[in-house]
Amino acid sequence: MAEKRDYYEVLGVNKGASDDEIKKSYRKMAKKYHPDLNPDNKEAEAKFKEVNEAFQVLSDKEKRARYDQFGHAGVDPNFGAGQGGGFGGFDGGFDFGDIFGDIFGGFGGRSQSRRNAPKPGRDIGEEVVITFEEAAFGCEKEISLYRTEYCPDCDGSGAKAGSEVTTCTHCGGSGQVRTVQRTVLGSMQTVTTCPTCSGKGKIIKEPCQKCAGKGKVRKSRKIKVKIPAGIDNGQSISLHGQGDVGDKGAPNGDLFVTVRVKPHEIFQRSRFDVQCEVPITFVQAALGAELEVPTLDGKVKYKIPEGTQSGTVFRLKGKGIPVLQRNGRGDQYVKVNIEVPKNLSSKQKSILREFEETDKGGNYTKQKSFFEKMRNFKNDD
């Protein structure tokens, strides 16, 4: 028989290590060599047993004292026979479940219980297309979708109507099977999904024909969705519990409806503000005019002053989009662009030339400033 390694060496700690240092090292080593993380690895299995044996001794003050004094002989099962001594594997009452719970976040029965818990329904997503105005002021839309629901014939039980559903005798209805194995280190308990009922805890003798025993079917539904005022393109609305149905005792999934807003012929959006461009004539810009401007609330009158320049932006306060889930509205910004006329008649051309001759350049301050800069530019040369 191979000679056992020093327990302190096995856990990688010094002989004077504290209880916390021993426990911390054990957690690290046990996780590294645990059989669940190293399936079919005999070497890892042997290391895992060695680590557990070392920790069993060094975590117990009396056993550690005997080991420090007598070595492996001090913790041999036959040591001190007849004197109440001895080392009885894992039967000393130490709670390894606490250690493994820290390592694996709930090892054994607790994690298995979570895996066998009823599963919530799946979230589903759909899209709805609306107009610019509908996005601004809100609306109600009806959408069509497919989702999983409880089978109407068996009400989600999976069993044929009138047939018997019995408790699984193999697991007693828990959906789990506990197995105790005797090892060289003592008794070790594992928890697995019951193979007889697949973790459901129930046995269905006659499955429902409509859902083939699944308890769920796919159904086509029409659902009305309220679109809030101020929603923007690409934003989503959440409808709680309108997704796929969950297992019995678990919540349904949610429905997420993504909004797609059609482009508008006149308006563009910038957060909660609305922008638009209005073409005006040279005469309107020069003499001033009252314009008819489109808004989300309808047409409004707006007076532009004499000498309005192309590209000037005017603000219409409160004529924008309602702020989503809040009070107030954005503004509308109107940009005016002077449209230069084409295909003028001879008379029109004559009138414009007459205007040009009588103007003497006094009204074109930007042009005058530019040509002065040009003269300076030439003089610099």
Side-chain angles (χ1 to χ4, degrees):
M1 183 175 181
E3 184 178 351
K4 289 185 177 181
R5 286 201 300 154
D6 179 75
Y7 287 149
Y8 292 103
E9 180 185 343
V10 170
L11 293 181
V13 295
N14 297 322
K15 191 171 182 179
S18 66
D19 292 342
D20 287 342
E21 289 174 329
I22 290 173
K23 191 173 182 179
K24 182 178 180 181
S25 179
Y26 168 72
R27 285 174 172 166
K28 180 180 178 181
M29 303 287 280
K31 184 175 181 180
K32 179 179 180 181
Y33 296 117
H34 196 279
D36 285 356
L37 302 179
N38 299 275
D40 301 323
N41 188 330
K42 297 297 183 181
E43 183 179 353
E45 182 180 353
K47 290 279 189 183
F48 181 71
K49 292 177 180 179
E50 186 181 42
V51 167
N52 276 292
E53 181 179 336
F55 182 70
Q56 172 72 12
V57 172
L58 300 184
S59 63
D60 186 295
K61 290 184 178 180
E62 293 183 6
K63 293 174 183 177
R64 182 177 179 180
R66 293 202 305 269
Y67 177 74
D68 289 344
Q69 185 175 1
F70 302 105
H72 289 96
V75 290
D76 188 276
N78 297 318
F79 179 82
Q83 301 178 27
F87 169 41
F90 285 117
D91 298 326
F94 188 83
D95 186 6
F96 276 84
D98 177 61
I99 297 293
F100 287 121
D102 291 340
I103 295 173
F104 295 101
F107 178 73
R110 284 173 289 179
S111 62
Q112 189 69 27
S113 297
R114 286 195 293 270
R115 288 197 293 270
N116 288 336
K119 295 181 180 178
R122 184 178 63 93
D123 295 337
I124 58 177
E126 294 291 337
E127 287 192 355
V128 62
V129 179
I130 61 176
T131 65
F132 194 93
E133 288 85 357
E134 287 174 331
F137 297 115
C139 62
E140 187 175 77
K141 291 289 184 179
E142 187 177 70
I143 62 173
S144 299
L145 55 85
Y146 281 92
R147 68 182 181 189
T148 300
E149 298 182 1
Y150 289 132
C151 174
D153 287 11
C154 66
D155 192 30
S157 69
K160 183 179 178 180
S163 66
E164 185 180 5
V165 179
T166 60
T167 300
C168 177
T169 56
H170 188 65
C171 65
S174 68
Q176 303 173 358
V177 177
R178 299 177 182 272
T179 305
V180 178
Q181 293 180 314
R182 301 290 298 179
T183 71
V184 294
L185 300 178
S187 299
M188 294 191 69
Q189 180 176 267
T190 58
V191 181
T192 58
T193 300
C194 177
T196 304
C197 65
S198 300
K200 296 179 180 178
K202 302 289 183 180
I203 299 296
I204 298 174
K205 293 185 177 180
E206 293 185 69
C208 172
Q209 294 182 349
K210 187 175 184 65
C211 65
K214 296 179 180 178
K216 300 175 184 178
V217 292
R218 296 284 289 174
K219 296 282 289 184
S220 173
R221 292 291 181 193
K222 291 184 181 295
I223 296 179
K224 289 185 177 180
V225 181
K226 188 174 182 180
I227 311 296
I231 198 165
D232 204 352
N233 182 60
Q235 291 183 319
S236 295
I237 303 166
S238 173
L239 278 72
H240 182 67
Q242 293 295 331
D244 285 349
V245 72
D247 292 344
K248 288 288 187 179
N252 295 348
D254 297 333
L255 169 62
F256 292 91
V257 181
T258 301
V259 173
R260 301 299 178 193
V261 182
K262 296 178 182 178
H264 199 276
E265 291 182 342
I266 297 175
F267 303 125
Q268 294 83 42
R269 177 172 177 169
S270 176
R271 298 195 66 192
F272 298 107
D273 293 331
V274 172
Q275 301 169 342
C276 74
E277 294 188 7
V278 176
I280 60 175
T281 67
F282 165 77
V283 175
Q284 288 175 317
L287 303 180
E290 188 176 69
L291 303 179
E292 194 173 56
V293 178
T295 73
L296 290 172
D297 301 308
K299 297 176 182 178
V300 298
K301 299 290 187 180
Y302 188 84
K303 189 173 182 179
I304 60 173
E306 292 183 7
T308 296
Q309 301 297 304
S310 185
T312 300
V313 177
F314 300 100
R315 175 190 177 201
L316 301 179
K317 187 176 181 180
K319 290 296 182 180
I321 294 172
V323 179
L324 183 64
Q325 298 178 343
R326 290 175 58 186
N327 294 326
R329 293 177 62 171
D331 301 324
Q332 178 169 331
Y333 292 90
V334 181
K335 182 179 180 180
V336 293
N337 292 316
I338 298 174
E339 183 178 6
V340 178
K342 298 179 180 179
N343 303 316
L344 297 175
S345 66
S346 298
K347 184 176 180 181
Q348 290 171 326
K349 292 177 181 178
S350 177
I351 292 173
L352 288 175
R353 289 192 183 99
E354 183 178 352
F355 168 77
E356 184 74 15
E357 290 173 359
T358 59
D359 182 71
K360 305 297 184 183
N363 286 312
Y364 295 102
T365 56
K366 289 184 179 180
Q367 187 183 58
K368 182 178 180 181
S369 175
F370 175 76
F371 282 117
E372 287 178 353
K373 292 176 182 178
M374 285 289 291
R375 283 194 294 273
N376 294 333
F377 176 76
K378 291 180 179 179
N379 291 335
D380 289 342
D381 289 343

